[in-house]
Amino acid sequence: MLQITGLTHSYGGDGLKVLDGLDLTVPDGQLVSIVGPSGCGKSTLLRCIAGLIQPTGGRLTLDGRPINGVPDDLAVVFQDYSRSLFPWLSVRDNVALPLRRRGKSRSERRAAAEEALESVGLHDAGRKYPWQLSGGMQQRVSIARALAYRPSLLLMDEPFGSVDAQTREDLEDLVLQVHRTEKMTILLVTHDIDESVYVGDRVVVLNRSPARVHADLPVGLPSVRDQIDTRGLPEFVQLRAEVGRLVRGGARVPGAAPVGAQPAGVAEAKGAGAKPAP
Amino acid sequence: MSFRRIVFGAAGVAGAVALLEVVSRTGLVDASALPPATTVLGEAAKLAVDGKFLADVAATLQAWFGGLALAVLVAVPLGVLLGSVPLLGTAARALVELMRPIPSVALIPLAIILFADPTQMKMSLIFYACLWPILINTLYALRDVDPVAKDSLRSFGFGTPSVLWRVSLPSAAPFITTGVRIAASVALIVVVSTELLAGGINGVGIYLSSTQAGGGRTDLLLAGAVWAGVLGLLANLALLGLERVAFRWHSAKVEAIA
């Protein structure tokens, strides 16, 4: 379980405050979408969880242990696959490299890499180099690299922001499939409202910088999702509208639960959720 | 290199040779000041089998490679250190910018005092001249390593030494090699001018000044100069070839972005 309490971060000492007392608890195995206006501190939040930056205030624990440096069972998928993959290594070696931390032999690392590539549908790309692949395939390689590492917590920082719409849908389904089969906890940061609802078990909306949790909505859609059917469901449409309103900074008190004075349609959407509407 | 480029390159060289030939033969320029190109090339061909001249080439190459290798051994680790520790880099910057513009040839008198052996003297000046392009390329390449690439490895729990070894050095390597290639051409200039100015026993520069003893043989001087140019060309081609083969990922990536 990931527990965040009062997370605050400012860049450059007492400079720009990006996060301001953010609280979030994520139980094991949940897929949480994090949305918010651009520049609201979503990436900073992920970087704090990943231990890549030391927050200026607040408390982060993973399975009860405070996060102090990069946690062991964690992997990150960055938006910019072309900068995140190493062009001097073959696709297979890119995927196999992090497994050095797992104390595996060379042949074990390669076998695990091939297996992970297979699971993202890239079984014959191992000997190629990342720059010989399309953008969508490169992002699949980053996902395979994260999967091969077998993390219990997977962080994805706008992972589909730089691919075309068709590829984006394929990759969203890949994440859903991975989540079903690997049972890992996934935090997916996105600025795409549709995506946040389509992929998430839960959507966390952050407000404008300095960010804290603006709203926290359960997604009551069936666990097996389909790009055409799911997006056509009234629950999907209504939840999407509500998240959209929240992201645009709707008339809601920061931190308040998304209940109370809301349009009838939205209340209905809540009713359709897995959790009963209060 | 494509066949087309080789053909056009050869045509350019042949054209220049023909032009020089005509200029000299027609008397537009005094033939004793600028001998016909065929005469120069004929003398250059003779030099290729002249044992004395080959000993000069060997001495020049020895100082050239020795000084360059020494510069690589010092400048690369130093550049890595200054490039990866920002505080040290900033502290060294003023010193580097002050030392770098000092021409190596200005240090010839000092090198003569310090080193009795002519090879050592030449190597020390080459070392000084080569240090800067390699150091500066290494330093900036290290500083410009993509932070996303570094974070990618860090996020899998790798520490600073691993990130340096597995991400920073590989991504800086093409720029470091370019620095070495620039340094190699600088080194050739330095070694020949040192030989010309400081004298010694063997060396292409020594040969060049010897052609001017007595009557002065411009054809021999130019034949020696042709060989000096060929040496520079070969060194550059060898290093370019290395860059193409070893850093194929780099040129391919640059082309993909362009």
Side-chain angles (χ1 to χ4, degrees):
Chain A
M1 187 163 74
L2 173 71
Q3 262 185 309
I4 302 171
T5 25
L7 183 67
T8 302
H9 188 70
S10 310
Y11 282 106
D14 50 6
L16 183 70
K17 197 178 226 184
V18 190
L19 301 173
D20 186 18
L22 185 143
D23 299 309
L24 183 66
T25 301
V26 182
D28 285 344
Q30 202 170 45
L31 202 173
V32 182
S33 299
I34 299 171
V35 275
S38 54
C40 77
K42 302 186 291 278
S43 294
T44 305
L45 170 63
L46 276 204
R47 292 169 64 82
C48 288
I49 299 170
L52 291 171
I53 47 179
Q54 187 71 42
T56 43
R59 201 176 136 75
L60 290 127
T61 61
L62 186 59
D63 300 326
R65 286 187 302 275
I67 295 178
N68 197 356
V70 179
D72 245 349
D73 284 324
L74 173 139
V76 185
V77 173
F78 293 88
Q79 173 182 355
D80 214 333
Y81 44 80
S82 67
R83 295 165 64 194
S84 172
L85 295 172
F86 307 123
W88 53 88
L89 295 180
S90 70
V91 163
R92 183 179 63 184
D93 290 345
N94 261 288
V95 176
L97 176 58
L99 301 175
R100 286 179 173 274
R101 292 268 304 149
R102 293 280 192 246
K104 291 189 175 183
S105 74
R106 187 186 172 84
S107 58
E108 283 171 327
R109 292 200 300 268
R110 292 205 155 166
E114 295 289 1
E115 195 189 316
L117 284 168
E118 178 105 42
S119 74
V120 299
L122 286 176
H123 49 277
D124 51 2
R127 288 178 187 280
K128 291 193 175 148
Y129 285 84
W131 37 270
Q132 294 174 316
L133 306 178
S134 70
M137 286 162 91
Q138 289 185 48
Q139 195 56 302
R140 275 172 199 270
V141 176
S142 326
I143 294 170
R145 179 169 68 178
L147 293 182
Y149 195 66
R150 301 208 163 277
S152 51
L153 176 59
L154 177 62
L155 306 178
M156 306 185 97
D157 189 2
E158 304 208 9
F160 318 130
S162 331
V163 297
D164 62 85
Q166 173 66 48
T167 309
R168 186 183 190 108
E169 293 186 353
D170 293 346
L171 292 175
E172 286 165 3
D173 288 334
L174 175 65
V175 168
L176 285 170
Q177 175 213 317
V178 162
H179 183 237
R180 264 200 310 277
T181 53
E182 308 284 331
K183 313 266 182 243
M184 58 182 75
T185 312
I186 302 179
L187 259 66
L188 185 138
V189 161
T190 178
H191 60 255
D192 183 320
I193 291 153
D194 273 50
E195 181 171 279
S196 72
V197 175
Y198 179 72
V199 172
D201 293 331
R202 171 183 171 197
V203 178
V204 170
V205 182
L206 303 186
N207 57 355
R208 264 173 223 296
S209 182
R212 53 175 77 178
V213 174
H214 185 40
D216 192 339
L217 301 99
V219 177
L221 297 168
S223 67
V224 175
R225 297 183 191 177
D226 177 272
Q227 289 288 355
I228 309 291
D229 294 347
T230 306
R231 287 175 196 268
L233 293 175
E235 296 95 313
F236 180 89
V237 175
Q238 282 151 356
L239 195 52
R240 191 188 75 177
E242 161 132 44
V243 174
R245 244 173 251 124
L246 289 163
V247 169
R248 282 172 183 279
R252 212 169 282 279
V253 185
V259 289
Q262 52 186 321
V266 175
E268 210 175 287
K270 296 286 301 150
K275 287 183 189 170
Chain B
M1 211 182 290
S2 71
F3 179 70
R4 199 184 148 83
R5 282 179 65 186
I6 294 172
V7 169
F8 275 86
V13 172
V17 167
L19 184 70
L20 288 174
E21 184 79 15
V22 169
V23 162
S24 181
R25 294 266 180 217
T26 54
L28 270 173
V29 177
D30 183 6
S32 66
L34 184 68
T38 46
T39 313
V40 172
L41 290 178
E43 291 299 331
K46 277 187 230 163
L47 283 179
V49 290
D50 179 341
K52 174 77 181 63
F53 180 72
L54 291 180
D56 286 326
V57 170
T60 296
L61 286 179
Q62 190 195 353
W64 187 9
F65 286 127
L68 186 62
L70 211 62
V72 171
L73 285 178
V74 172
V76 173
L78 193 61
V80 169
L81 185 71
L82 297 182
S84 48
V85 185
L87 212 65
L88 282 180
T90 313
R93 194 182 169 127
L95 187 65
V96 169
E97 293 302 330
L98 185 71
M99 306 272 280
R100 190 164 69 108
I102 301 175
S104 267
V105 278
L107 300 173
I108 289 178
L110 179 67
I112 290 174
I113 297 168
L114 289 177
F115 301 98
D117 176 51
T119 307
Q120 279 184 9
M121 180 200 63
K122 285 189 266 183
M123 274 172 57
S124 66
L125 290 168
I126 294 167
F127 168 76
Y128 185 85
C130 293
L131 194 64
W132 310 111
I134 303 174
L135 179 68
I136 284 170
N137 262 41
T138 307
L139 199 156
Y140 283 111
L142 256 292
R143 210 178 273 176
D144 287 349
V145 175
D146 195 329
V148 175
K150 288 196 272 190
D151 277 349
S152 297
L153 201 62
R154 277 182 66 208
S155 69
F156 287 108
F158 286 76
T160 309
S162 295
V163 172
L164 177 67
W165 177 247
R166 299 194 182 278
V167 178
S168 300
L169 279 181
S171 64
F175 301 99
I176 297 174
T177 313
T178 303
V180 173
R181 189 158 55 80
I182 295 166
S185 56
V186 171
L188 181 64
I189 298 169
V190 170
V191 69
V192 173
S193 24
T194 307
E195 286 165 349
L196 273 171
L197 292 169
I201 307 147
N202 277 325
V204 173
I206 313 276
Y207 170 82
L208 293 179
S209 59
S210 76
T211 61
Q212 296 309 295
R217 288 283 304 273
T218 316
D219 54 341
L220 290 182
L221 173 83
L222 290 174
V226 166
W227 279 113
V230 169
L231 291 180
L233 182 72
L234 289 178
N236 195 51
L237 280 179
L239 283 162
L240 262 182
L242 174 76
E243 282 176 47
R244 291 235 172 90
V245 174
F247 308 126
R248 197 165 62 93
W249 60 266
H250 185 247
S251 41
K253 212 182 161 203
V254 170
E255 278 161 27
I257 291 165

